[in-house]
Amino acid sequence: DVSKGIATLVGSGVANHRRAILWGAVWTGAGGLAGAAIAGAMITTFGKGLLASDVTPTFATALAVLLGAAAWVLIATRAGLPVSTTHAIVGALTGVAVIAYGVHGVRWDALEHKVVVPLLASPLIALVATTIVLRLVPRRVAVTDCACVTAPVAALVPIGGGAAARTFEPPRLILASTATCDARPTVARVTLDQLHWLTSGATSFARGLNDAPKMAALILAGAAVSGEHISPLVFFGVITAAMVAGSVLGGLRVTRVLAENVTRMDHREGFVANAVTALLVGVGAWQGLPLSTTHVSTGAIIGSGITRGGAVDWRTVRGMLAAWVVTVPLAAALAITVYGALRLIGA
């Protein structure tokens, strides 16, 4: 899932695939660990918030949900399909809960308001927000991609009669192109490319912050029933390590799809798309709304393409949408299969 935070770096030419993936992996890890401290609402939602009050989740059901979701995400990743881990977990959780506890074992109202509505609305919000921001800032402004503070300059200016006066030009803040900033001595500078790295890191951080608590919540709920007393930090540490390893080892295929196949973008568009994604997903994690980083970032990237006059590969988008639709039932089917196998061996 690392591609969701760093695809714009690759697509806009700011970084190559490997550097971008390593950057995203580091910030995903930071977000995953931070989730132990500041994503309590998400833990509540996925711990028991989607199950009926009289349902006690078991370790077997939690394990089946995670393995079923992981199996589908792995299959999709190998195929280069940017599916949603959140979608997969929700599908797996719902499927196993219905089999294990019956239809009334799921809080369908909570599922609708806390999961389904945010998942459906967030990519549209991201698309609209990205489009509005990019259209408010005309494309010609993109040449102003550097803010620099000029170095103080002292000079002698002839005043006649062989005399000269010393002048002093104080530091000034200049908003211009990178080439203009390069042409004069500066004491500090920040470019749009550098800010793009920051928004990419923020998106990856938000992704870790949003996803790690969902998985930790399921295991914590199951462990509590089995009498295990293990610090939540241990679970978050293991989950975060796995997310980082998965990012580094398997993030290339989906990154290529999002970075190269959906639409072309420049650094201005990539910066805005990432900023919108980081804001929406980060707020969602804080409020316990399980937004899909996949859906939000894809909506933002499509929004950046629309501002280019519709320069979007809709064939690729249709394939992604189809993968999103089948994620819930297929993750549910895989999780139910795992649950049945665990029951057979007496787990």
Side-chain angles (χ1 to χ4, degrees):
D1 266 358
V2 69
S3 57
K4 288 73 174 187
I6 50 87
T8 59
L9 286 176
V10 178
S12 59
V14 175
N16 60 33
H17 293 85
R18 182 50 53 187
R19 284 187 68 198
I21 287 172
L22 290 175
W23 177 256
V26 169
W27 284 104
T28 294
L33 294 175
I38 59 179
M42 189 72 73
I43 294 175
T44 300
T45 297
F46 275 80
K48 279 202 62 176
L50 301 180
L51 301 177
S53 57
D54 58 343
V55 168
T56 302
T58 65
F59 193 82
T61 57
L63 187 60
V65 170
L66 291 176
L67 291 178
W72 170 241
V73 172
L74 178 60
I75 292 169
T77 299
R78 295 295 296 175
L81 297 173
V83 299
S84 164
T85 300
T86 302
H87 246 138
I89 292 176
V90 170
L93 176 62
T94 305
V96 171
V98 169
I99 296 299
Y101 313 119
V103 174
H104 298 294
V106 179
R107 291 182 56 196
W108 298 105
D109 57 336
L111 184 68
E112 176 186 356
H113 295 102
K114 290 188 176 182
V115 178
V116 175
V117 171
L119 282 177
L120 291 177
S122 55
L124 297 176
I125 294 173
L127 188 155
V128 172
T130 302
T131 303
I132 290 175
V133 172
L134 288 173
R135 286 184 172 170
L136 286 176
V137 182
R139 186 167 297 280
R140 63 178 178 273
V141 178
V143 298
T144 306
D145 60 356
C146 181
C148 60
V149 178
T150 62
V153 178
L156 294 176
V157 178
I159 57 176
R166 181 177 294 275
T167 63
F168 178 78
E169 181 179 336
R172 290 190 301 133
L173 174 64
I174 295 179
L175 301 177
S177 67
T178 300
T180 301
C181 289
D182 288 340
R184 48 191 311 155
T186 59
V187 295
R189 67 161 60 190
V190 60
T191 67
L192 194 57
D193 281 357
Q194 292 168 334
L195 293 177
H196 192 170
W197 280 98
L198 291 179
T199 58
S200 172
T203 300
S204 298
F205 181 91
R207 174 230 160 183
L209 189 65
N210 203 284
D211 280 358
K214 300 167 190 171
M215 294 175 271
L218 295 170
I219 294 296
L220 285 169
V225 174
S226 64
E228 295 286 343
H229 298 287
I230 302 176
S231 169
L233 291 177
V234 174
F235 289 118
F236 272 93
V238 172
I239 290 168
T240 299
M243 292 173 70
V244 171
S247 298
V248 173
L249 297 175
L252 183 57
R253 294 193 185 193
V254 179
T255 298
R256 282 176 172 160
V257 172
L258 284 179
E260 301 165 11
N261 295 355
V262 175
T263 186
R264 297 183 62 84
M265 68 190 84
D266 58 26
H267 56 186
R268 163 180 167 271
E269 294 160 348
F271 165 79
V272 172
N274 261 343
V276 169
T277 301
L279 179 62
L280 288 176
V281 177
V283 171
W286 176 46
Q287 293 294 319
L289 300 175
L291 303 186
S292 165
T293 313
T294 305
H295 294 186
V296 175
S297 64
T298 301
I301 290 172
I302 292 173
S304 72
I306 290 175
T307 62
R308 285 179 175 267
V312 177
D313 186 341
W314 292 109
R315 181 178 179 181
T316 298
V317 173
R318 285 194 297 270
M320 291 165 56
L321 290 174
W324 293 358
V325 170
V326 301
T327 288
V328 170
L330 287 181
L334 289 168
I336 290 170
T337 302
V338 174
Y339 179 69
L342 292 174
R343 291 291 300 273
L344 284 176
I345 62 176

